[in-house]
């Protein structure tokens, strides 16, 4: 690490150098305004303009801006929202299908505008686009003598496909605001021209989202994902902001104005450790002193005496923490983020099905098996819809049909099966809230991939009894009375299947048999390994989470060999160590279960993924929000 010596008041302070930012890329970020509410408004146009809330259990997952004008807020209890806004229309948002469908349609449209096909969804309502090559192409086309009458070409092959724009000014807001006189000078700077072009592309795409699909959005434009996302939050809703990365002080001032917790990629537990250090408060396991913690800004952290990647690494050094976290955080503080926008894929990174039982937690083996079967059935069905295609699309060959149904073949298959449960915590519990949710993973049993002669129900039955029930037993003791408020079953770690024509190894159904064979070998090898993985989804960097050892930044569960490679140690040891360190707490949770108390609706907890304060009854709906990525 490079350092330099500064003298202040006679004392020498070692100041770590700021990392270097790479501004070669151009990244757009889109966040649809009040997304679930907009989906429901589009389905019921008569509702437009009326205050509308979207209900999940007893809270509002979101509300439209007409409701927000009355003081209604996201995640507000419905009763409170009705008090503030008696005319509020409340619709159910429990069925995520319409939101998923809308999200896919909008994403497909945006995706078609990244020539490199780098278009990444974050949850259902945010999209990153890498448009570096589109912008470079249009930069070449700019006619300096007729900037006001410029034409933005959306296709390399069709010069008429595009839109007209005025290249003497940015579209939307810019940050920092620059005097128009200076802007003319800045336009000699190629980076500034790229950002200007990108602002027009973002403006055009946002307009299309609104006109052609009915969705307004907020946009951020900059040179990496972190900066683009943060820029997009500056002017919400229905507006956009271009962060000019033309000078380091522009970027640093922008970053410094944010609270540490606002920086995407810094998880709430990492933020807590740093805040505690900066404010010199000792960290207690259930420290909930949010008022103090949430005030710490990036500037305060950066300017803390002797702050450096090494000091951050020491602050974040906890059992199970990821090496290199200090440097990653240091980079984020300076607006440096090299992470790529992921290449678009039609195959989801994971499929997860869950149900919640907040009002009536599950307590008996019969209830448990009934729910495991139901969830397994939905999961197998979704896998066959999302990951398989008709082997013979014309259904012309009798061999490709089964009971009149086309024979399917996998285009991708998951390697990992994960079961997560949530035990409702006791009000006033001193146990850290994230330990309420616990997970175990194992290789996906091969029979799930058998597409021939097996009904969805038969596969689901085996999945429930031969895999999910044993996984559950590893999480919870045999006796009843678990107070189980959530079950989530997820398959992840997708592997793309090469088509038979690409491999030359026989037909599609044979492909499935090959997968089966491969799985049997893999299963035998990995049978004994179980991965403890409590935080499945958010793309956060969180050193205290044991998931740091078993999930990658794509949030797919890594298989044991990947864990092994990543850590450079014996994989079995890593996993066993995690199980050991987590089990004592798990036992104390279980032993508390008998002394269960009535739900206290006034209790709040902090979400361990994003740090939001959520009323205890809303935790599950909120966790569900995090777990939706497809
Ligand atoms: P957000 O982008 O946080 O909210 P939003 O799009 O409704 O509003 P904004 O205009 O401020 O961007 O979340 C996207 C959707 O995710 C939101 O419409 C509802 C859902 N959601 C939940 O289901 N649970 C939650 O806890 C949150 C925060 C969101
Ligand atoms: Mg949104």
């Amino acid at each position: 690490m490079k350092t330099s010596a500064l003298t202040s008041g006679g004392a020498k302070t070692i100041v770590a150098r700021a990392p270097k930012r790479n501004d070669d890329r151009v990244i757009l970020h889109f966040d649809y305004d009040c997304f679930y509410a907009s989906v429901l408004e589009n389905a019921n146009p008569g509702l437009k303009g009326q205050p509308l809330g979207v209900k999940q259990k007893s809270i509002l997952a979101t509300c439209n801006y007409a409701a927000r004008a009355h003081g209604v807020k996201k995640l507000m209890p419905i009763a409170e929202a009705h008090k503030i806004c008696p005319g509020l229309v409340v619709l159910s948002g429990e069925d995520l299908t319409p939101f998923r469908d809308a999200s896919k349609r909008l994403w497909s449209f945006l995706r078609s505008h990244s020539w490199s096909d780098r278009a990444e969804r974050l949850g259902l309502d945010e999209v990153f686009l890498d448009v570096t090559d589109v912008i470079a192409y249009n930069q070449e086309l700019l006619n300096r003598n007729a900037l006001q009458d410029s034409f933005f070409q959306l296709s390399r092959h069709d010069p008429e496909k595009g839109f007209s724009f005025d290249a003497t000014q940015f579209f939307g807001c810019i940050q920092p605001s620059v005097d128009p006189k200076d802007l003319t000078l800045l336009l000699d700077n190629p980076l500034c021209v790229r950002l200007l072009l990108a602002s027009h592309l973002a403006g055009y795409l946002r307009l299309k989202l609104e006109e052609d699909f009915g969705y307004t959005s907020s946009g951020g434009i900059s040179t990496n994902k972190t900066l683009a996302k943060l820029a997009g939050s500056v002017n919400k809703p229905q507006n956009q902001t271009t962060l000019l990365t033309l000078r380091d002080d522009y970027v640093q001032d922008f970053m410094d104005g944010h609270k540490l917790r606002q920086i995407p990629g810094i998880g709430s537990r990492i933020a807590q450790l740093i805040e505690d250090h900066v404010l010199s408060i000792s960290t207690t396991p259930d420290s909930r002193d949010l008022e103090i913690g949430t005030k710490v800004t990036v500037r305060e952290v950066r300017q803390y005496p002797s702050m450096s990647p090494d000091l951050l690494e020491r602050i974040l050094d906890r059992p199970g923490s990821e090496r290199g976290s200090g440097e990653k955080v240091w980079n984020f503080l300076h607006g440096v983020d090299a992470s790529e926008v992921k290449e678009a894929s039609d195959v989801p990174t994971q499929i997860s099905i869950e149900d919640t039982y907040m009002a009536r937690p599950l307590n008996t083996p019969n209830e448990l098996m009934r729910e495991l079967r139901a969830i397994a059935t939905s999961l197998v069905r979704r896998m066959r819809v999302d990951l398989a295609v008709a082997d013979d699309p014309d259904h012309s060959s009798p061999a490709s049909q089964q009971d009149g149904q086309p024979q399917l073949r996998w285009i991708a298959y998951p390697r990992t099966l994960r079961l997560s449960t949530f035990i409702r915590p006791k009000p006033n519990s001193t146990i850290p809230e994230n330990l309420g949710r616990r997970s175990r993973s194992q290789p996906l049993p091969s029979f799930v991939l058998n597409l021939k002669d097996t009904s969805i129900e038969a596969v689901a039955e085996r999945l429930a009894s031969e895999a999910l029930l044993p996984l559950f037993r590893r999480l919870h003791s045999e006796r009843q009375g678990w107070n189980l408020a959530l079950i989530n079953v997820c398959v992840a770690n997708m592997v793309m299947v090469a088509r038979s024509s690409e491999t030359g190894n026989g037909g599609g159904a044979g492909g499935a048999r090959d997968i089966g064979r491969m799985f049997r070998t893999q299963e035998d090898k990995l049978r004994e390994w179980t991965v403890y993985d409590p935080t499945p989804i958010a793309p956060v960097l969180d050193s205290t989470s044991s998931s740091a050892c078993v999930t990658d930044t794509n949030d797919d569960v890594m298989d044991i060999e990947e864990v092994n490679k990543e850590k450079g140690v014996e994989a079995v040891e890593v996993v066993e160590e995690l199980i050991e360190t987590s089990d004592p707490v798990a036992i104390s949770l279980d032993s508390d279960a008998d002394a269960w108390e009535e739900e206290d609706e006034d209790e709040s907890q902090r979400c361990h993924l994003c740090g939001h304060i959520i009323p205890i009854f809303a935790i599950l709906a909120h966790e569900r929000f995090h777990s939706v990525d497809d």
Side-chain angles (χ1 to χ4, degrees), residues 371-399:
E371 295 308 320
L372 289 180
R373 259 186 223 113
I375 290 176
T377 308
S378 305
L379 181 75
V380 175
R381 187 168 292 130
R382 272 274 303 282
M383 279 179 64
R384 290 187 180 196
V385 170
D386 290 359
L387 304 178
V389 292
D391 197 21
D392 168 13
D394 303 330
H395 311 172
S396 47
S397 139

Side-chain angles (χ1 to χ4, degrees), residues 29 120-123 126 128 225-226 229 263-268 270 322 328 332 337 339-340 342 350 535-542 547 551-556 608-610 625-629:
H29 176 259
E120 179 183 342
R121 276 197 298 171
L122 189 60
E126 292 181 49
F128 288 106
K225 285 163 75 178
T226 297
K229 182 168 160 64
I263 309 304
I266 297 187
S268 64
I270 281 208
E322 202 184 335
K328 282 190 192 164
F332 284 138
D337 174 12
S339 65
E340 298 271 7
K342 281 187 216 145
Q350 58 178 34
T535 29
I537 301 300
V540 293
L541 171 66
D542 220 331
S547 69
T551 58
D552 66 10
T553 47
N554 299 342
D555 302 304
D556 297 339
H608 66 282
L609 294 173
C610 68
F625 156 69
H626 281 300
S627 71
V628 172
D629 79 339

